[in-house]
């Protein structure tokens, strides 16, 4: 029988679109008296946050910012940045979070590529802008951000060789605090930032209001709805991942909607971070392993109580050694997984009641996994030929993903966008297994897997073994070509200072070879050479730069430079 | 400067649509071993639920159901109904949840109006279908649902005068358990049901996949993210609101996504409900006040421990008297607010840690409010002239609402749809105040407010006073025309059986007049007459039918029938 009913396939005009402003609106409802803090410089409640964001709306309008314009920010992790997370997209503009750790040339590239219309820049980064200002093609407007204005007797602002439109705090203070943020299409772009691979120029990744709304809802559901590592509205939240980096993993949006007390630390100095953490009673953070190592190894860490602190680790692999060191300090550490292109969260370790009673060794196995799949994220394993592999905990393949908050491609880069979404699945470039319990275990990057004697060896697995050897502070393992075996692993090691005189690379190899004899590791895992270095090359976001290691340190690793 | 960037305003093909199947997918991830139970007849885990829904997909396809078709269900509250909540919309069809409490003539009206293509009908409702079968214009297909099939020795099914396509459980058993539910537009209709006002024919209300997805996410955020009355994944959930009634307020979708243990009670017999509740350790339910009163007044309630039971009350006002009776039994009772047109949840009472330490009287004030606004629901107050009133806790106006999960209108009824959405806001017909803390306090229905001597008097307020007088089991207060005052209140009272001989209407009036003299209530609140009746007229969903009371019982109330 023919169906005579009208089935509307377009949403009604009455239906509220999924916009970032709806997330902010919640922050006035439940615990608006909670505080948002910037170091020891600035404190406000959620009423004031909302008021300042309305003022920011007026400032942006006055400065001529139109829907579709791009507003760039170069700032430390501050309350101002949080205000821009909301205020900029809420006027319909796109927030470009500039990676201030890039080289001036790369920063210039991203500013011009993003066609920034205005840059809000912290005084500390004016020196960078001075060197590239003449080559910026689209931006004629600059607003200065300064921490000096929070001092009782503010110092003079740093002068610039180019004109600016004023200082952020002064502009806000002069602006009206009523602003009616209008509705618009939920697929409007909200944010844009650049991801730095190991090849070519930085790639622009962008997210819409709808995607950030759904990412926030997905995370709230995941963290509040199920088992442990819960993100409750009672947590005190401090990001230790730069806000320019995938919007600090989306957590500031979650924290704002949950009405958490929030602490923004500015720069990352271990002693200051730990003192701020204790003073403000921070209970939840997230960071990359390098930062956690820095905090764990700080002398201050031994003097304070970190047993109320939960940390989610991402960005690169959490080694067993580091996880153990953190657990020994009482830190509730777990790993998550995601990438710039996925907004970024795809999975986080979730310990249930029973797992929390396990002994440390067994917990470490779980805490160093990549986590359990987040709601509404679909991850599958794919082999080289594009076939799906089973989620049986054994099969190893590249993780491909789908979901409602994945980036749609790279800005003005159809070729790489198409590569990213080959066959309708987002290709992560990560090799993993997935258990029937939806737990993901990453083996390696597709590019970093070491193919030796017909075996696929995970460079991360070998690094994990190294992380548990006495004296090893940092390690990077890469595969280099070998006539007989195809590839062989080589290791770069940074020793802890107190071991500098008493440990050698050859000694470490011997320890590994002994473990082979005891049958605890496979013989082909032992690198051909272990080279001690004062520092390991890293990317601008603190990940081991294995491409650089393979290309620039090849001779050192092979012993050709002895 | 002209903006040269391409800003895509359409979502990419890579972006996963918001579909009901994504909610179900979560049920396999975290605690799939939890059980879903139908009385003492049937138990399964979430793996089996998913398997049965895939089988249902195959059954529907085999029976010729196409995307856009309408599949109607007439069943008690069972696991089968839950399967249909997912399976029917997941094949792209529309689930029509037939209100089995309507009169046969009204049921016939809704079947024909909805243009049902197939009806899945429990044996107990075959008698209704027999009486209207000849007048059904669109449905030629029937599937029988029976509880007999779960018996060890199943009895014969009830014969029908018309042909059926088989029994639900038998069809499921014969179907293949693999089915690949495809993606489609998230604005596709998922559900349809009929709301019965006090005038005219029932009105068809429909919701899309996107709306139900967002309602579920909104509820999860609300219940898991903030303060007390939390809906945690550890709760054992039993609905005591019919599944045909606004999908049991959307809770079964939340419970499925949260992997709660779920208990479906079938029919509502107080003793059976309480025994099932204790046996399966139910911790969370929702129901209308009538059902709560029935349970609270059951002799079994005194014999069991109800102190782990949370109940959310909606549908009509929770009186102080009933709330107190429930609290006295240890029941954690709170009120929520919503309507069929809003999917339905708009607000729920949320007691925070401090409020939970308040004394009972103070808690009752809060617990009997309509609740705190849910995330992403915007409620405003509007006066007769269409002006917004402030949310200051004092101003009284009609609640108008907006959000992402409000119905877009009534099926094939543009006139009422337009009235519902006058001025771009959904008109609830409820009169309320809203506090600066986003707490909503309902005064009355727009139609039920009593205008007496220039004052607006809430019939609900008067009913609340009555509910605290000894011997009063139920009460309804309505306004009737009065030459001098415009309108005057009149009350219908049902006494508790043990008070039948010792309490009179005039006595109750005297108690109220004494309270006036003590200054605790206003004089114009005291009804001109209090009439004792054995029963108060109610609508099919158990609400006081004030329209019927005003029209049909006017003479009785005025004393003209003495």
């Amino acid at each position: 029988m023919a169906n005579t009913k009208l089935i509307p396939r377009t949403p009604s005009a009455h239906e509220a679109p999924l916009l970032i402003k709806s997330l902010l609106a919640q922050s006035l409802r439940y615990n608006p008296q909670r505080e948002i803090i910037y170091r020891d410089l600035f404190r406000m409640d959620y009423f004031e946050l909302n008021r300042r964001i309305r003022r920011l709306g007026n400032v942006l309008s006055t400065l001529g910012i139109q829907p579709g314009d791009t507003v760039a920010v170069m700032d430390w992790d501050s309350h101002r940045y949080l205000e821009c997370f909301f205020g900029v997209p809420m006027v319909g503009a796109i927030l470009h979070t500039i990676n201030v750790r890039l080289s001036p040339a790369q920063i210039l590239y991203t500013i011009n590529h993003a066609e920034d219309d205005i840059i809000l820049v912290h005084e500390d980064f004016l020196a960078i802008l001075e060197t590239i200002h003449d080559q910026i093609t689209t931006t004629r407007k600059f607003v200065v951000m300064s921490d000096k204005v929070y001092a009782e007797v503010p110092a003079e602002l740093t002068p610039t060789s180019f004109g600016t439109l004023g200082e952020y705090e002064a502009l806000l203070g002069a602006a009206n605090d009523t602003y009616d943020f209008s509705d618009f299409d939920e697929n409007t772009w909200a944010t844009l930032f650049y991801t730095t691979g190991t090849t070519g120029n930085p790639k622009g990744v962008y997210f819409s209001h709808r995607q950030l709304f759904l990412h926030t809802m997905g995370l709230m559901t995941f963290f509040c709805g199920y088992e442990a590592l819960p993100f409750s509205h009672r947590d005190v939240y401090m990001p230790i991942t730069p806000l320019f980096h995938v919007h600090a993993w989306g957590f500031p949006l979650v924290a704002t909607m949950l009405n958490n007390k929030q602490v923004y630390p500015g720069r990352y100095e271990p002693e200051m971070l730990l003192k701020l953490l204790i003073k403000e009673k921070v209970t939840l953070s997230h960071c990359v392993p390098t930062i956690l190592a820095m905090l764990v190894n700080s002398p201050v860490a031994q003097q304070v109580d970190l047993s109320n602190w939960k940390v989610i680790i991402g960005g690169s692999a959490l080694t067993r050694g580091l996880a153990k060191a953190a657990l020994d300090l009482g830190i509730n550490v777990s790993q998550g997984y995601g990438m710039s292109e996925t907004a970024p969260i795809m999975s986080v370790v979730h310990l249930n009641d029973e797992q929390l009673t396990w002994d440390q060794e067994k917990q470490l196995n779980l805490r160093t996994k990549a986590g359990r799949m987040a709601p509404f994220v679909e991850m599958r394993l794919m082999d080289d030929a594009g076939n799906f592999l089973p989620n049986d905990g054994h099969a190893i393949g590249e993780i491909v993903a789908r979901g409602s908050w994945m980036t749609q491609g790279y800005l003005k880069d159809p070729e790489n966008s198409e590569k990213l979404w080959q066959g309708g699945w987002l290709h992560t470039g990560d090799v993993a297994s997935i258990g029937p319990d939806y737990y993901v275990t990453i083996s390696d990057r597709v590019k970093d897997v070491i193919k030796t004697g017909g075996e696929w060896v995970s460079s991360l697995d070998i690094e994990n073994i190294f992380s548990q050897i006495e004296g090893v502070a940092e390690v990077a393992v890469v595969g280099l070509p070998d006539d007989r075996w195809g590839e062989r692993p080589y290791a770069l090691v940074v020793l802890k200072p107190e071991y500098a005189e008493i440990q050698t690379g050859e000694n470490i190899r011997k320890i590994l070879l002994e473990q082979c004899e005891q049958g605890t590791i496979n013989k082909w895992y032992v690198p051909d050479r272990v080279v001690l270095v004062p520092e390991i090359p890293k990317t601008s976001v603190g990940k081991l730069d294995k491409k650089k290691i393979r290309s620039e340190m090849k001779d050192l690793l092979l012993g050709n430079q002895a």
Side-chain angles (χ1 to χ4, degrees), chain A:
Chain A
M1 178 184 1
N3 194 288
T4 59
K5 286 183 293 288
L6 177 77
I7 301 172
R9 305 244 164 209
T10 48
S12 146
H14 304 316
E15 212 162 290
L18 308 181
L19 297 175
I20 285 174
K21 73 170 181 175
S22 310
L23 302 175
L24 181 65
Q26 308 320 309
S27 75
L28 288 174
R29 292 196 176 178
Y30 307 112
N31 293 293
Q33 77 291 351
R34 296 246 177 88
E35 280 186 310
I36 295 154
I37 295 154
Y38 176 45
R39 305 186 67 164
D40 55 354
L41 297 172
F42 186 88
R43 313 178 80 94
M44 64 177 155
D45 62 18
Y46 278 90
F47 293 113
E48 181 63 11
L49 172 70
N50 277 266
R51 213 175 287 127
R52 285 171 61 93
I53 289 170
R54 294 193 299 269
R55 288 180 190 270
L56 178 57
N58 283 313
V59 169
L60 293 171
S61 300
T62 306
L63 298 182
I65 296 304
Q66 303 285 329
D69 282 356
T70 303
V71 176
V73 171
M74 297 174 80
D75 193 6
W76 299 110
D77 297 351
S78 71
H79 62 296
R80 294 175 298 244
Y81 223 133
L82 182 69
E83 289 156 13
C84 291
F85 271 18
F86 288 97
V88 173
M90 280 164 64
V91 300
I94 301 155
L95 174 68
H96 172 199
T97 58
I98 293 180
N99 181 344
V100 293
R101 294 200 199 143
L102 293 179
S103 69
Q106 280 184 311
I107 290 178
L108 174 66
Y109 171 85
T110 66
I111 290 172
N112 286 338
H113 189 265
E115 300 175 36
D116 292 339
D117 294 289
I118 187 169
I119 301 178
L120 316 186
V121 53
H122 189 283
E123 272 188 305
D124 290 355
F125 306 115
L126 282 172
I128 297 174
L129 280 193
E130 291 287 356
T131 66
I132 59 174
H133 179 260
D134 290 350
Q135 301 162 70
I136 296 176
T137 53
T138 61
T139 314
R140 295 287 170 274
K141 295 172 181 171
F142 300 90
V143 165
V144 178
M145 291 166 150
S146 170
D147 291 348
K148 292 173 186 160
V149 299
Y150 304 119
E152 253 182 81
V153 185
E156 287 271 318
L157 295 194
T158 311
T160 54
S161 72
F162 51 89
T164 73
L165 300 169
E167 191 276 328
Y168 181 87
E169 197 64 42
L171 290 169
L172 236 56
N176 195 310
D177 72 355
T178 60
Y179 190 100
D180 196 12
F181 294 100
S182 57
D183 278 2
F184 42 74
D185 188 320
E186 67 193 30
N187 294 301
T188 304
W189 288 10
T191 57
L192 168 65
F193 57 88
Y194 284 78
T195 175
T196 47
T198 44
T199 51
N201 279 317
K203 296 200 280 282
V205 175
Y206 50 91
F207 292 100
S208 68
H209 282 255
R210 172 187 161 107
Q211 289 175 315
L212 293 177
F213 181 100
L214 292 172
H215 184 257
T216 305
M217 293 290 273
L219 287 194
M220 279 199 62
T221 304
F222 195 33
F223 293 150
C224 303
Y226 300 99
E227 305 279 359
L229 250 199
F231 196 152
S232 125
H233 71 94
R234 289 186 189 83
D235 274 309
V236 178
Y237 165 68
M238 179 167 85
I240 324 183
T241 308
L243 296 194
F244 65 71
H245 188 229
V246 209
H247 352 91
W249 304 357
F251 282 65
L253 297 184
V254 178
T256 302
M257 171 155 172
L258 268 178
N259 271 161
N260 288 100
K261 175 175 166 186
Q262 301 187 52
V263 183
Y264 287 87
R267 267 146 283 191
Y268 297 168
E269 297 141 6
E271 191 172 331
M272 182 278 290
L273 285 173
L274 285 167
K275 283 185 177 164
L276 191 60
L277 189 153
I278 295 300
K279 182 182 166 221
E280 300 296 350
K281 300 188 169 57
V282 171
T283 62
L284 184 81
S285 295
H286 47 78
C287 64
V288 293
T290 319
I291 298 283
L292 180 65
M294 194 176 86
L295 295 172
V296 163
N297 295 324
S298 157
V300 179
Q302 306 295 334
Q303 298 154 21
V304 295
D305 176 12
L306 295 172
S307 64
N308 289 317
W309 194 40
K310 292 173 283 190
V311 188
I312 300 174
I313 299 298
S316 47
L318 171 67
T319 60
R320 278 184 84 87
L322 179 56
K324 188 179 176 328
L327 276 185
D328 286 344
L329 284 171
I331 302 169
N332 186 350
V333 66
S334 286
Q335 194 165 215
Y337 170 66
M339 55 197 288
S340 299
E341 290 81 351
T342 63
I345 303 292
M346 290 200 284
S347 62
V348 175
V349 169
H350 253 215
L351 273 75
N352 67 26
D353 293 347
E354 190 218 324
Q355 290 158 344
L356 284 168
T357 67
W358 288 355
D359 65 38
Q360 202 193 52
E361 280 303 303
K362 208 171 160 191
Q363 281 198 22
L364 281 173
N365 294 340
L366 193 59
R367 288 176 183 272
T368 56
K369 286 193 177 189
R372 214 166 196 182
M373 238 177 262
F376 312 121
V377 171
E378 201 182 346
M379 289 197 244
R380 299 288 303 272
L381 298 176
M382 204 177 256
D383 69 13
D384 286 348
N387 303 310
F388 287 117
L389 302 173
N391 291 359
D392 59 6
H394 300 292
I396 301 269
E398 183 184 3
I399 302 176
V400 296
R402 281 204 303 207
S404 306
W405 56 70
M406 314 272 150
T407 192
Q408 298 170 35
Y410 299 110
L411 183 65
K412 301 191 256 182
D413 187 351
E415 194 184 322
N416 278 313
S417 302
E418 202 180 311
K419 243 192 255 172
L420 181 70
W421 278 102
Q422 230 176 333
W425 288 81
L426 186 147
H427 288 253
T428 64
D430 286 312
V431 173
S433 66
I434 302 178
D437 56 359
Y438 292 82
Y439 256 106
V440 180
T441 308
I442 310 277
S443 308
D444 216 332
R445 293 290 296 165
V446 170
K447 293 171 191 161
D448 294 336
V449 165
I450 300 162
K451 292 165 187 164
T452 182
E455 296 285 335
W456 278 32
V457 173
S458 152
S459 63
L460 297 185
D461 280 356
I462 306 181
E463 285 164 9
N464 245 323
I465 295 165
F466 270 81
S467 75
Q468 294 168 76
I469 296 177
E470 240 191 306
V472 173
E474 273 192 294
V475 59
V477 173
V478 297
L480 292 177
D482 183 276
D483 287 343
R484 185 163 170 204
W485 302 107
E487 280 187 335
R488 285 294 301 146
Y490 289 80
L492 285 182
V493 165
V494 179
L495 291 177
K496 293 178 183 164
E498 63 271 29
Y499 283 83
E501 302 295 318
I502 51 173
Q503 186 62 293
T504 67
E506 202 42 40
N507 241 338
I508 293 175
R509 274 200 81 227
K510 269 186 205 150
I511 296 172
L512 294 177
L513 288 168
E514 278 164 26
Q515 292 187 19
C516 291
E517 277 168 30
Q518 289 155 18
T520 54
I521 60 170
N522 293 317
K523 202 176 165 189
W524 53 89
Y525 272 46
V526 182
D528 277 12
R529 294 191 77 233
V530 177
V531 179
L532 301 183
V533 286
E535 207 178 349
I536 294 176
K538 300 210 181 66
T539 67
S540 66
V541 293
K543 297 188 195 186
L544 299 174
D545 191 342
K546 295 205 175 172
K547 189 182 160 67
K548 197 170 178 183
I549 294 170
R550 279 190 296 258
S551 62
E552 295 180 14
M553 304 181 80
K554 188 176 163 182
D555 284 338
L556 174 68
L557 284 167
L558 292 172
N560 299 343
Q561 283 185 336

